[in-house]
Amino acid sequence: MNLLYRFISTSLLFISFWGKAQTVSLTVNKSSMSENQSAIITASLSSATSEETIIKFTPSGTAKLQGDYSVSDVGKGTVTTVAGGNGSGNADNQLNSPYGVAVDASGNVFIPDHGNQRIQKWIPGSAEGVTVAGGSGGSGSNQLSSPYGVAVDASENLYIADTYNHRIQKWAPGATEGVTVAGGNGDGPAANQFNWAIGVAVDALGNIYVCDYYNHRIQKWAPGATEGVTVAGGNGAGFNSNQLNYPSGVAIDGVGNIYVADMNNERVQKWLIGATEGVTVAGGNGQGAALNQLSRPTGVSVDASGNLYIADRNNSRIQKWGQGATTGTTVAGGGNQLNLPFGIALDASGNLYIADSRNNRIQKVTMEPQIIIAAGETSGTLIISAIDDNLLLEGTETVILTPTATGATLISSDAITLTIDDSVPTVTGVTSTTANGSYKQ
């Protein structure tokens, strides 16, 4: 096969444009890259169109999207209902005001079914959920009271924001009752209390982060702790950089930075480890529907590249904000697709799960890499960036991107193939190497 054809991977698509057959070519500027490097796929139209042109790429290969590489644009994705959607009720195929969502490594979805006082587990492809925690309202160890949030760790333990009981309950897989691991001492402002535990996240070390709603703070509880430590807010309700105003969602990135959906301040705040003030990284321009604004944000999630996904509740949309961005991009909703989305989660492949609260369902947005050429434009790009995962001698991994087009005929079905070479990692602080080439620090 011609190397130019193989590595540049040109595909032609026919697009109807004012009755003419139009072509768009896809080229990639390199066939391999190391970690922290990028490749650029360019789509070039033969002439401008009156409507936008979308080329989607289905990813495969040994490299994992968001784990081994990231992409600059995932468009609006493909939306499917993965839980509920059968009206409000307490049947196994129904939900009643789901306000949160979590997903494990196998794609199982866990839902705080607020109005039914339970946590439901939906296996991928299932038409019904199974109750894995709660099921009746109350303060007993086998009960929940209007849960709002849930997180799941690598061992499938659930951490439940048992909101009206002002506590976080940990439920082991298969358990018939939970164990209080934070709060549970009534409502109040003390370090061992919450006043509405509404959102929850857990990091790889088992530290629990809780949105303490009416105390306007984020509390961190270490494993086994009897009290929490304030790591964001806690200075009363307000708009200052050291304050929060009804925090409703929390997320933690890989290095421990905290992201808070600061609901009544219409912003997302980032708090560095040990910081006494937060920095606005999304919104903060008053309540509204412009791309630089949010309206009652209630959920936030962060991917491996530092992109934020925000449940922009009163705008009924999900906004993506890149690092350093001054505006967001709508990746779901914005029309009549969602109705007051409250919680949000990302899986290992970068797909979104949305607690579509008023529609009593969980929506999955399959985030496919895309090139969108706007109306009147003739080209667009997609940047593929290899992520430095800090693993030594991992070897070569492949990224395979198979293109398709909406409303167009794809002449060639050949995929674009890239390789990520991280067999020679960059290591800092090396003092010597062993005979077999492994590193010593």
Side-chain angles (χ1 to χ4, degrees):
M1 181 180 291
N2 184 290
L3 287 179
L4 183 62
Y5 180 82
R6 181 179 180 182
F7 292 128
I8 300 300
S9 302
T10 300
S11 298
L12 295 179
L13 300 96
F14 286 116
I15 299 174
S16 175
F17 175 55
W18 297 330
K20 297 180 181 180
Q22 182 165 300
T23 62
V24 58
S25 62
L26 300 177
T27 59
V28 60
N29 68 334
K30 62 178 65 173
S31 60
S32 65
M33 54 187 169
S34 300
E35 290 182 342
N36 290 324
Q37 292 185 340
S38 299
I40 302 174
I41 301 173
T42 301
S44 301
L45 285 169
S46 55
S47 60
T49 68
S50 59
E51 297 180 355
E52 69 179 11
T53 301
I54 302 176
I55 300 96
K56 294 183 179 181
F57 298 89
T58 301
S60 59
T62 58
K64 291 182 172 56
L65 181 61
Q66 300 303 344
D68 298 307
Y69 70 99
S70 64
V71 297
S72 59
D73 194 0
V74 290
K76 291 190 176 182
T78 302
V79 182
T80 56
T81 300
V82 294
N86 299 298
S88 177
N90 61 5
D92 288 341
N93 69 338
Q94 293 180 304
L95 300 170
N96 185 352
S97 299
Y99 288 128
V101 62
V103 59
D104 67 14
S106 300
N108 298 307
V109 179
F110 299 89
I111 307 152
D113 192 6
H114 176 82
N116 287 323
Q117 320 294 343
R118 66 188 183 183
I119 305 298
Q120 295 293 92
K121 176 182 178 179
W122 286 64
I123 298 170
S126 175
E128 294 184 345
V130 176
T131 301
V132 292
S136 63
S139 59
S141 60
N142 66 338
Q143 295 177 306
L144 300 171
S145 183
S146 300
Y148 265 85
V150 66
V152 60
D153 67 17
S155 300
E156 300 254 331
N157 297 302
L158 298 179
Y159 299 80
I160 303 164
D162 190 9
T163 304
Y164 293 1
N165 284 324
H166 312 287
R167 66 186 183 183
I168 302 299
Q169 294 293 90
K170 179 180 179 180
W171 286 63
T176 56
E177 58 184 35
V179 176
T180 302
V181 291
N185 299 296
D187 65 302
N192 69 340
Q193 293 179 306
F194 299 118
N195 193 348
W196 269 42
I198 195 171
V200 60
V202 60
D203 67 19
L205 300 176
N207 298 303
I208 303 165
Y209 301 80
V210 185
C211 290
D212 192 3
Y213 187 72
Y214 283 113
N215 286 323
H216 310 286
R217 64 187 183 183
I218 304 298
Q219 295 293 91
K220 177 182 177 180
W221 287 63
T226 57
E227 293 185 347
V229 177
T230 301
V231 291
N235 298 297
F239 189 75
N240 294 324
S241 58
N242 70 337
Q243 293 178 303
L244 300 171
N245 196 348
Y246 297 103
S248 298
V250 60
I252 313 299
D253 67 17
V255 297
N257 298 312
I258 302 166
Y259 300 83
V260 184
D262 191 9
M263 186 178 72
N264 277 19
N265 282 327
E266 321 294 351
R267 66 188 183 184
V268 172
Q269 294 291 91
K270 178 180 179 179
W271 290 64
L272 302 177
I273 298 173
T276 57
E277 296 184 348
V279 177
T280 302
V281 290
N285 298 298
Q287 185 176 14
L291 292 179
N292 70 336
Q293 293 180 304
L294 300 169
S295 182
R296 297 297 189 260
T298 49
V300 62
S301 192
V302 59
D303 68 19
S305 300
N307 299 304
L308 297 179
Y309 296 83
I310 303 160
D312 190 9
R313 189 190 68 178
N314 283 12
N315 283 324
S316 291
R317 67 187 183 183
I318 307 301
Q319 296 295 95
K320 176 183 176 182
W321 286 62
Q323 291 193 65
T326 56
T327 61
T329 301
T330 303
V331 294
N336 60 359
Q337 298 175 346
L338 301 172
N339 193 350
L340 300 183
F342 204 95
I344 188 171
L346 285 167
D347 68 15
S349 298
N351 300 309
L352 287 171
Y353 295 77
I354 304 164
D356 191 8
S357 65
R358 287 289 178 89
N359 285 324
N360 299 295
R361 66 188 181 184
I362 302 300
Q363 297 291 85
K364 177 182 178 181
V365 185
T366 302
M367 305 303 286
E368 299 167 313
Q370 296 182 13
I371 295 176
I372 300 177
I373 303 176
E377 301 293 329
T378 58
S379 66
T381 60
L382 178 70
I383 301 173
I384 313 295
S385 300
I387 296 172
D388 186 353
D389 53 16
N390 297 314
L391 295 177
L392 301 183
L393 304 178
E394 193 176 21
T396 299
E397 299 168 301
T398 59
V399 179
I400 302 174
L401 300 173
T402 303
T404 58
T406 302
T409 301
L410 181 65
I411 291 185
S412 173
S413 60
D414 287 352
I416 292 175
T417 300
L418 301 168
T419 59
I420 299 175
D421 182 9
D422 60 357
S423 60
V424 186
T426 299
V427 179
T428 59
V430 173
T431 57
S432 64
T433 60
T434 64
N436 65 4
S438 61
Y439 292 96
K440 292 181 179 180
Q441 298 287 338

